Amino acid sequence: MAKNVNVSWDLPTTRESGLPLDQADIQHVEVLLSADLGATFTSINNIVPPTTNITVPDLDIGDWVFRLIVVDTAGRQSVEVDTPVNVPDETNPSSVVNVQVTFV
């Protein structure tokens, strides 16, 4: 059974150098998704601040990896942050099989 998944984050307040990062200097956060445990990613959206979340509808049962990358207004990119998620199989169990009835 597919699930809607909400991903949220906090925007950085500094650059890698440790110097302050003005929120107006953040162009967007690129959100990517991998269905093969991070071997390949597909970009699903660029989220423009001040928004700090995305809801991904109908994610199928299984293991997924979300990757977020901050892009500043000059096009510089942060290091990727990967977060795995497992959409559990919450369907009912299958029925018993090979039922045999014998006289005793």
Side-chain angles (χ1 to χ4, degrees):
M1 172 190 288
K3 296 275 188 181
N4 296 338
V5 175
N6 186 66
V7 180
S8 62
W9 56 88
D10 293 328
L11 294 171
T13 58
T14 60
R15 293 190 173 273
E16 287 182 2
S17 65
L19 294 174
L21 173 63
D22 189 318
Q23 298 298 289
D25 289 337
I26 298 174
Q27 182 177 21
H28 64 265
V29 174
E30 184 176 10
V31 180
L32 302 100
L33 184 61
S34 173
D36 56 10
L37 298 176
T40 58
F41 284 88
T42 300
S43 182
I44 57 174
N45 210 332
N46 291 332
I47 306 300
V48 177
T51 302
T52 56
N53 73 300
I54 183 173
T55 298
V56 180
D58 301 323
L59 206 56
D60 288 329
I61 295 167
D63 293 315
W64 300 85
V65 179
F66 283 95
R67 173 173 282 176
L68 280 72
I69 302 170
V70 177
V71 180
D72 73 7
T73 53
R76 293 178 291 249
Q77 297 183 356
S78 70
V79 172
E80 305 95 1
V81 173
D82 291 354
T83 303
V85 64
N86 175 269
V87 178
D89 185 350
E90 296 175 338
T91 59
N92 295 332
S94 298
S95 299
V96 297
V97 296
N98 300 324
V99 176
Q100 299 175 15
V101 177
T102 58
F103 293 100
V104 286

